[in-house]
Amino acid sequence: QVQLVESGGGLAQAGGSLRLSCAASGSIFGINDMAWHRQVPGKQRELVATRTAAGITNYADFVEGRFTISKDHAKNTVYLQMNSLKPEDTGVYYCYAKRDVLQWGKTVTHDYWGQGTQVTVSS
């Protein structure tokens, strides 16, 4: 019941910037956490950044202060601002949302994923 659509991927040179967007629609109420993951060639999908509903953010070590996750509540959109891009940042970036719903008096967590957007960083 939650749809996530990523955009903003593309080609950037090393040291450049990209801003990824993830628009959430559907049953958006109850979403607690949102995150960006990425699939780098030759590696498993890994966490990039997380943001709680309260605005608490966390980043993977490899981010090294280069990325910022944020949310525009009015637009139901989460962003990943990526600066100082490196070739090793190349991969498919996926938006993730965690939604807690009450079912039969019990809180059940649902996970939602976007389709991914390609990021390519050239040297």
Side-chain angles (χ1 to χ4, degrees):
Q1 292 180 306
V2 173
Q3 295 81 44
L4 304 175
V5 180
E6 301 102 330
S7 62
L11 178 65
Q13 286 194 301
S17 299
L18 285 173
R19 187 195 189 202
L20 307 184
S21 299
C22 173
S25 61
S27 301
I28 61 174
F29 294 115
I31 293 178
N32 293 331
D33 304 314
M34 298 191 73
W36 287 95
H37 294 242
R38 72 183 185 185
Q39 182 75 58
V40 174
K43 294 184 178 181
Q44 293 182 314
R45 186 177 297 189
E46 59 188 350
L47 179 68
V48 177
T50 61
R51 184 190 187 278
T52 70
I56 300 172
T57 59
N58 284 285
Y59 301 90
D61 289 341
F62 63 76
V63 169
E64 298 176 327
R66 300 177 298 130
F67 301 169
T68 302
I69 185 172
S70 62
K71 186 179 182 180
D72 186 330
H73 295 280
K75 296 180 179 179
N76 297 315
T77 300
V78 64
Y79 303 94
L80 183 67
Q81 178 66 49
M82 302 188 294
N83 301 319
S84 302
L85 285 165
K86 304 176 181 179
E88 50 262 45
D89 293 321
T90 295
V92 180
Y93 285 69
Y94 298 89
C95 182
Y96 165 85
K98 183 171 73 72
R99 177 172 174 260
D100 294 331
V101 297
L102 188 63
Q103 296 180 342
W104 298 99
K106 215 175 173 186
T107 300
V108 179
T109 298
H110 291 174
D111 300 311
Y112 300 93
W113 293 90
Q115 297 301 305
T117 184
Q118 176 70 45
V119 170
T120 302
V121 183
S122 64
S123 59

